[in-house]
Amino acid sequence: MHSTNHPEGTLKNIVLVGFMGCGKSSVGRAISSQLNYPQIDIDCSISDAAALTIPQIFESKGEAHFRLMETECLQQIIAEKIHHHIISTGGGIPVASANRALLPQLGYVVWLRARPQTIFERTQNTKHRPLLNQEDRLQTITQLLEQRTPLYEEVAQLKVNTDELPVDEISHGIIESARYFFKNS
Ligand code: S3P
């Protein structure tokens, strides 16, 4: 695990970012039950607000519109000063520069990482991720991951490799690092 500096005035949330299939939802659930903090899943919030599934939003409104919906959701959390929550994001959240500017204001940003092959195995039986519904899924994952790595790097204060670690170990490590971060912020 590796940590870097953080901005002033950060809300006290733990924010999980990372590529599809890196465990944001499952690690989020584990941290949420260990700390007894509610979890906000940005994809679910968007889907509920629009009364559409994520694939339907991509199909009817396009990816750019979906990114705007992500931005609005992040802005709402900041406006409402929501804290002591676990915030799980969609894998493409740092693609929009507006989102990259907002993420560190939400709390301690943790980047969950995995190798392309691990992501491929974890996502191979899922169909609800429009960006992965391509003929060569492994190649799509490899390319997207390469494009997005510097963007995750830009927003994250902690990076955690999830390939070999069980969810419980990952969540305990994140909680300890977050305690240290907030104690010193
Ligand atoms: C996306 C990741 C998805 C979801 C949407 C777009 C992406 O979330 O937001 O399909 O661009 O990587 P998960 O990372 O939870 O699958």
Side-chain angles (χ1 to χ4, degrees):
M1 295 200 188
H2 162 82
S3 44
T4 52
N5 283 340
H6 56 86
E8 295 297 320
T10 308
L11 292 169
K12 296 201 171 191
N13 299 300
I14 297 176
V15 185
L16 301 176
V17 301
F19 203 80
M20 296 169 263
C22 284
K24 300 178 299 284
S25 303
S26 48
V27 170
R29 267 194 303 277
I31 301 176
S32 163
S33 74
Q34 283 166 52
L35 287 181
N36 209 13
Y37 284 8
Q39 184 177 16
I40 297 174
D41 184 309
I42 302 286
D43 277 355
C44 291
S45 304
I46 290 174
S47 180
D48 288 350
L52 292 169
T53 63
I54 302 294
Q56 285 169 338
I57 297 173
F58 269 71
E59 205 181 302
S60 61
K61 302 177 195 256
E63 184 179 348
H65 185 84
F66 177 73
R67 301 288 164 223
L68 283 177
M69 294 169 99
E70 289 180 319
T71 307
E72 281 167 15
C73 207
L74 300 182
Q75 283 168 334
Q76 196 178 342
I77 294 171
I78 293 168
E80 291 176 13
K81 293 193 166 45
I82 289 172
H83 66 104
H84 289 158
H85 278 61
I86 311 304
I87 301 172
S88 304
T89 62
I93 206 148
V95 167
S97 62
N99 294 345
R100 294 202 297 281
L102 294 170
L103 283 164
Q105 298 176 39
L106 262 68
Y108 185 47
V109 183
V110 179
W111 171 22
L112 300 181
R113 306 200 305 174
R115 289 189 289 269
Q117 185 62 34
T118 308
I119 295 169
F120 175 71
E121 284 160 19
R122 289 181 187 165
T123 60
Q124 65 183 336
N125 296 320
T126 65
K127 291 211 170 18
H128 64 278
R129 293 174 167 113
L131 296 179
L132 294 187
N133 292 338
Q134 307 293 333
E135 210 169 295
D136 190 340
R137 193 178 270 212
L138 181 58
Q139 193 193 22
T140 305
I141 291 168
T142 307
Q143 283 173 351
L144 265 182
L145 194 56
E146 205 176 290
Q147 288 165 20
R148 291 179 177 181
T149 291
L151 308 179
Y152 296 124
E153 187 96 53
E154 189 181 320
V155 295
Q157 283 123 358
L158 177 75
K159 44 183 162 179
V160 182
N161 292 328
T162 66
D163 294 283
E164 323 289 350
L165 289 176
V167 168
D168 265 10
E169 248 175 77
I170 297 171
S171 56
H172 278 118
I174 293 172
I175 290 170
E176 281 318 302
S177 305
R179 283 210 174 102
Y180 183 80
F181 173 85
F182 287 121
K183 208 166 78 187
N184 294 297
S185 63

